[in-house]
Amino acid sequence: GQQVMQIPQYQHVQEGEDFTTYCNSSTTLSNIQWYKQRPGGHPVFLIQLVKSGEVKKQKRLTFQFGEAKKNSSLHITATQTTDVGTYFCAGRDAGNNRKLIWGLGTSLAVNP
Amino acid sequence: EAGVAQSPRYKIIEKRQSVAFWCNPISGHATLYWYQQILGQGPKLLIQFQNNGVVDDSQLPKDRFSAERLKGVDSTLKIQPAKLEDSAVYLCASSRLSGTGGTGELFFGEGSRLTVL
């Protein structure tokens, strides 16, 4: 079946270090979304990427969508303690745009 | 605009009892989702509605779980009888219909935390 693999599962960094999480889909995606879930909270939408090779930035966060629209990454520059949480990617299958396939998430811990 | 409303926030029941969760999506959002999130795991889709029709319920344990979306607005998710492994947060989310504006992003409610003893 359709899968979205997300790595790493966990990442522990010192404040100020960079962080990257990667998503890889077994099928071509029409678009991919990224969400952040703080401990004890609910997922909150960060961004959606639609175009092949698209790169979007939000302050210290950089999101990329691969040329083949099968992979994506989220990079955080100079992490802060406020970045703590779990980051999920969720892709819409190109063959069935109504279906959103979630990665298992990357949990980020930041040491002050 | 008001967010996705869910109730109750917390529920503790014994196994074999029943429980119901309620969700009121953002006004005008045609698509409504129920997710189950077990501690430390990602959200697992239970059922997806578009208006009052079911789009995907392939992962809904239909022998014990049921969901309905009356008149295409609010929705209830019921578990009967509950098992220990049903202990989780039940998240409701809504989104606009694809092609009607917005990015198709999901807006989540605060969730209903269920503990089955």
Side-chain angles (χ1 to χ4, degrees):
Chain A
Q2 299 143 343
Q3 288 186 330
V4 173
M5 306 299 293
Q6 193 171 351
I7 57 170
Q9 189 175 358
Y10 304 99
Q11 186 82 54
H12 208 141
V13 300
Q14 287 294 128
E15 190 171 22
E17 291 182 338
D18 292 355
F19 159 78
T20 305
T21 173
Y22 301 89
C23 278
N24 289 289
S25 169
S26 59
T27 59
T28 302
L29 302 170
S30 59
N31 58 61
I32 193 161
Q33 298 175 352
W34 285 91
Y35 292 80
K36 177 183 178 182
Q37 185 173 22
R38 294 182 186 273
H42 56 276
V44 175
F45 176 80
L46 294 176
I47 207 160
Q48 175 169 279
L49 305 171
V50 178
K51 299 176 184 176
S52 170
E54 189 169 16
V55 178
K56 286 188 176 180
K57 292 191 176 184
Q58 288 180 350
K59 297 182 180 178
R60 296 178 294 104
L61 276 60
T62 302
F63 304 84
Q64 293 189 338
F65 201 10
E67 294 289 342
K69 301 183 75 172
K70 283 189 170 184
N71 56 71
S72 182
S73 65
L74 158 59
H75 178 82
I76 302 178
T77 303
T79 54
Q80 300 175 358
T81 54
T82 53
D83 296 325
V84 165
T86 301
Y87 293 85
F88 293 97
C89 61
R92 288 197 186 274
D93 181 46
N96 179 359
N97 204 38
R98 296 185 300 180
K99 195 164 186 174
L100 194 62
I101 307 161
W102 287 74
L104 294 182
T106 296
S107 292
L108 173 64
V110 180
N111 275 352
Chain B
E1 61 184 354
V4 176
Q6 285 190 249
S7 67
R9 287 294 312 278
Y10 304 93
K11 189 74 176 178
I12 300 174
I13 61 173
E14 295 188 350
K15 60 184 179 183
R16 291 187 289 274
Q17 287 187 325
S18 63
V19 63
F21 302 112
W22 173 82
C23 173
N24 193 26
I26 292 173
S27 177
H29 281 195
T31 307
L32 185 149
Y33 312 77
W34 281 103
Y35 283 92
Q36 180 193 59
Q37 187 171 31
I38 293 172
L39 187 64
Q41 298 184 17
K44 171 188 168 186
L45 180 68
L46 294 176
I47 190 166
Q48 178 180 339
F49 293 96
Q50 187 161 296
N51 296 310
N52 58 357
V54 175
V55 171
D56 184 354
D57 65 355
S58 57
Q59 298 191 92
L60 186 73
K62 298 180 184 63
D63 57 334
R64 298 184 302 106
F65 286 64
S66 64
E68 59 181 5
R69 189 180 184 192
L70 301 172
K71 301 179 182 178
V73 182
D74 58 352
S75 175
T76 56
L77 174 71
K78 295 180 181 177
I79 307 174
Q80 183 180 12
K83 292 186 175 181
L84 296 176
E85 59 260 36
D86 298 332
S87 293
V89 176
Y90 291 86
L91 293 164
C92 179
S94 69
S95 68
R96 292 181 185 277
L97 194 59
S98 176
T100 61
T103 61
E105 70 190 85
L106 272 61
F107 293 82
F108 284 85
E110 296 288 339
S112 295
R113 183 177 296 276
L114 174 66
T115 301
V116 182
L117 304 176

